Amino acid sequence: MSEIAIIVLAAGKGSRMKSAMPKVMHRVAGRSLLGHVLHAARPLGVAEAVIVVGPDMDEVAVEARTVFPGARTAVQRERLGTAHAVSTARDLLSGFKGTVLVLYGDGPLISSETLNSLVRMAGAGPVVLGFEAKDPTGYGRLLLDDGGHVVDIREDVDASPVERMIRLSNSGVIALSAPLLWQLLPGIGNSNAKGEYYLTDIVALAASSGIPFRLAICDEGEVAGVNDRVQLAAVEATLQDRFRRHHMLSGVTMTAPETVYFSADTEIGQDVSIGPHVVFGPAVRIETGAEILAFSHIEGAQIAAGARIGPYARLRPGTQIGVNAHVGNFVEMKQATLGNGAKANHLSYIGDAAVGARANVGAGTITCNYDGFEKHRTDIGADVFIGSNTALVAPVKVGDGASVAAGSVVTRDVPEGALAISRPALELRLGWAQRLRQIRMSRKSAMKKG
Ligand code: UD1
Ligand code: MG
């Protein structure tokens, strides 16, 4: 198969998003719209990726390079139409002779399988991706000849009443050889209702040169585009349903899947169980047999086999949970590791810290990692016992096997095997409580009588 280049059109401002951010930077399932499109194309083995952006869209270039390190951007200064947008990529692809796949940056639901079959077909001539629209309003309509070739695409605004009845619609995605693309593109004009250079006109030009486009068909669900935030939410919902299904079919148990939210990159091993109302931000990996209980929020975390998280746990970026470790309710962790079999079961903050294997972090323990200016580390060794309501004032180390008594404020390193206690001496005043109660009771009854 010949080499593949993608051109992703993303120069539109997306004014209906009503946003200071370019449309393709909006996120669904923890990933930008552009990121989804690029990820769908990645398995094709893309040799060149050019993203067509508008002026002042540097963040889009940065985003593209996180998925394709070699991705380049072409700037379309004036938005003169999709054909004009493609032509801005020409210089960057001047030496490229393989298959060009043109994609839209705001269509995040397109699948790798569909793109793959499209570029395979394109080895034998140009291909356009179409779909049967339930309601084709707004889409270009595909006009076929008797042999089933696509001979023209009529934009909705330019279509006759009869053409408007056609439901076979243009997804916008095409694949064709680079030489053919650059040969046909200059022939496209702008005498149409919008006065734009339509890429879709390439189809009629190809047909009249005797190299008609063939049709590939995909499901309408794959071509839904995002133009406003209502559609953004609809796409989010579609993706979430896809991920829920995918994880369940891969062996993950979910009691209420409709309440669980994934990121596109969430990785979950077999026999993991996930309770209701769990949210996964980007970069989470969970290994076999771990259990995530209800109402947990997890982002940038790795959770090893057999661990139990939640209910109501919050794991922030840089968290690593060891095998069979437990993180309980209202425990927050950030840039922290919890060793194998270690436990932090209740009401704690563990940040910029390492907790050794089998250590027990008592309820209400806080790593005081921030002094108002800088962050500092806390290192807790293996088999350590930290009593409830301990404040560990970082930087500080607690050696293996040490214990810290409840209520302590630990401001110095605790050597291996030592006991640290820091608390005011306890005073006991025998009988005082009883006497106080008698005095108060007799005062109260005197007041009632009076
Ligand atoms: C386009 C197709 C239509 C198809 C529909 C599918 C054309 C002329 N029409 O219409 O047949 O049914 O998509 O959704 O192609 N863009 C640029 N520069 C431009 C113009 C557009 O980069 O000058 C980008 C946009 O950011 C967007 C994409 O190209 O990502 C498509 O443009 P859009 O204006 O949304 O085209 P539609 O009218 O939806
Ligand atoms: Mg559109």
Coordinates of all heavy atoms in Angstrom, one line a residue, residues 16 19 77 83 92 94 109 114 121 133-134 163-164 182 247 265 269 272 274 276 339 355 371 402 418 433 449:
R16 N -20.1 29.3 16.4 CA -21.3 28.9 17.2 C -20.9 28.2 18.5 O -21.8 28.0 19.4 CB -22.1 27.9 16.3 CG -23.0 28.6 15.3 CD -23.8 27.6 14.5 NE -22.9 27.0 13.5 CZ -23.2 26.0 12.7 NH1 -24.4 25.4 12.9 NH2 -22.4 25.5 11.8
S19 N -16.8 30.8 21.9 CA -15.7 30.4 22.8 C -14.4 31.2 22.4 O -14.3 31.5 21.2 CB -15.4 28.9 22.6 OG -14.2 28.5 23.3
R77 N -5.1 31.9 5.9 CA -5.4 33.3 6.4 C -6.8 33.8 6.2 O -7.4 34.4 7.1 CB -4.4 34.3 5.9 CG -3.0 33.9 6.0 CD -2.0 35.0 6.4 NE -0.7 34.3 6.8 CZ -0.4 34.0 8.0 NH1 -1.2 34.4 9.0 NH2 0.7 33.4 8.3
A83 N -11.9 23.7 -0.3 CA -10.8 23.5 -1.3 C -9.6 24.4 -1.1 O -8.5 24.0 -1.2 CB -11.4 23.7 -2.7
L92 N 3.6 22.1 1.8 CA 4.2 21.1 2.8 C 4.3 19.7 2.3 O 5.1 18.9 2.8 CB 3.4 21.2 4.1 CG 3.5 22.5 4.9 CD1 2.7 22.5 6.2 CD2 5.0 22.8 5.3
S94 N 4.7 18.9 -1.0 CA 5.2 18.9 -2.4 C 5.9 17.7 -2.8 O 5.7 17.2 -4.0 CB 6.1 20.2 -2.6 OG 7.1 20.1 -1.7
L109 N -15.9 11.4 15.8 CA -16.4 10.0 16.0 C -16.0 9.1 14.9 O -16.3 7.9 15.0 CB -18.0 10.1 16.1 CG -18.6 10.9 17.2 CD1 -20.1 10.9 17.2 CD2 -18.1 10.3 18.6
T114 N -13.0 2.6 9.5 CA -13.6 3.2 8.3 C -12.5 3.9 7.5 O -12.4 3.8 6.3 CB -14.6 4.3 8.8 OG1 -15.7 3.6 9.4 CG2 -15.2 5.1 7.6
M121 N -9.2 1.4 -0.4 CA -9.9 1.5 -1.6 C -9.2 2.6 -2.5 O -9.2 2.5 -3.7 CB -11.4 2.0 -1.4 CG -12.4 0.9 -1.0 SD -14.0 1.6 -0.6 CE -14.6 2.1 -2.3
A133 N -28.2 9.8 5.6 CA -28.6 10.7 6.7 C -30.1 10.6 7.0 O -30.9 10.5 6.1 CB -28.3 12.1 6.4
K134 N -30.4 10.5 8.3 CA -31.8 10.5 8.7 C -32.5 11.8 8.2 O -33.5 11.8 7.6 CB -32.0 10.3 10.2 CG -31.9 8.9 10.6 CD -32.3 8.7 12.1 CE -31.6 7.6 12.7 NZ -30.2 7.9 13.1
E163 N -33.0 17.3 -5.7 CA -31.7 16.9 -5.1 C -31.8 16.9 -3.6 O -31.2 16.1 -2.9 CB -30.6 17.8 -5.6 CG -30.2 17.6 -7.0 CD -29.4 18.6 -7.6 OE1 -29.3 19.8 -7.1 OE2 -28.7 18.4 -8.6
R164 N -32.6 17.8 -3.0 CA -32.7 17.9 -1.5 C -33.3 16.6 -1.0 O -33.2 16.3 0.2 CB -33.5 19.1 -1.1 CG -32.8 20.4 -1.2 CD -33.0 21.3 -0.1 NE -32.1 22.5 -0.2 CZ -32.5 23.6 -0.8 NH1 -33.7 23.8 -1.2 NH2 -31.6 24.6 -1.0
W182 N -3.6 17.4 -6.5 CA -3.0 18.7 -6.9 C -3.3 19.0 -8.3 O -3.3 20.2 -8.7 CB -1.5 18.7 -6.6 CG -1.2 18.3 -5.2 CD1 -0.3 17.3 -4.8 CD2 -1.7 18.8 -4.0 NE1 -0.2 17.2 -3.4 CE2 -1.1 18.1 -2.9 CE3 -2.7 19.8 -3.7 CZ2 -1.4 18.4 -1.5 CZ3 -3.0 20.1 -2.3 CH2 -2.3 19.4 -1.3
H247 N -15.5 -1.4 27.5 CA -14.9 -1.9 28.7 C -15.7 -3.1 29.3 O -15.1 -4.1 29.7 CB -14.8 -0.8 29.8 CG -13.8 0.2 29.4 ND1 -12.4 -0.1 29.2 CD2 -13.9 1.6 29.2 CE1 -11.8 1.0 28.9 NE2 -12.6 2.0 28.9
D265 N -8.5 7.5 26.7 CA -7.3 6.7 26.9 C -7.4 5.9 28.2 O -6.3 5.3 28.6 CB -6.1 7.6 26.9 CG -6.1 8.6 28.1 OD1 -7.1 8.6 28.8 OD2 -5.1 9.3 28.3
G269 N -8.0 -3.3 33.1 CA -7.8 -4.7 33.0 C -9.0 -5.6 33.2 O -10.1 -5.0 33.6
V272 N -11.9 -6.0 36.6 CA -12.0 -4.8 37.4 C -13.5 -4.5 37.6 O -14.3 -4.8 36.7 CB -11.3 -3.6 36.7 CG1 -11.6 -2.3 37.4 CG2 -9.8 -3.9 36.7
I274 N -16.3 -1.6 38.8 CA -16.5 -0.1 38.9 C -17.9 0.2 39.4 O -18.9 -0.2 38.8 CB -16.2 0.6 37.6 CG1 -14.8 0.3 37.1 CG2 -16.4 2.1 37.7 CD1 -14.5 0.8 35.7
P276 N -21.1 2.8 40.9 CA -21.8 3.9 40.2 C -21.0 5.2 40.4 O -20.3 5.4 41.4 CB -23.1 4.0 41.0 CG -23.2 2.7 41.7 CD -21.9 2.2 42.0
G339 N 2.5 2.0 48.6 CA 3.1 0.7 48.3 C 2.1 -0.5 48.4 O 1.0 -0.3 48.8
V355 N 4.6 6.2 50.2 CA 4.2 5.4 51.3 C 4.6 4.0 51.1 O 4.3 3.4 50.0 CB 2.6 5.5 51.5 CG1 2.2 4.6 52.7 CG2 2.1 6.9 51.7
D371 N 4.5 25.0 51.8 CA 4.8 25.9 52.8 C 4.3 27.4 52.4 O 4.8 28.3 53.0 CB 6.3 25.9 53.2 CG 7.2 26.2 51.9 OD1 6.6 26.7 50.9 OD2 8.4 26.0 52.0
A402 N 8.7 2.3 61.6 CA 8.4 3.3 62.7 C 6.9 3.5 62.9 O 6.1 3.1 62.1 CB 9.0 4.7 62.3
A418 N 11.5 3.7 65.2 CA 11.3 4.6 66.4 C 9.8 4.9 66.5 O 9.0 4.7 65.6 CB 12.1 5.9 66.1
A433 N -15.7 15.9 86.2 CA -16.8 15.9 85.3 C -18.1 15.6 86.0 O -19.2 16.3 85.8 CB -16.6 14.8 84.2
K449 N -37.8 26.5 88.4 CA -38.8 26.7 89.5 C -39.0 28.2 89.7 O -40.1 28.7 89.8 CB -38.2 26.2 90.9 CG -38.4 24.7 91.0 CD -37.8 24.3 92.4 CE -37.6 22.7 92.3 NZ -36.5 22.4 93.3

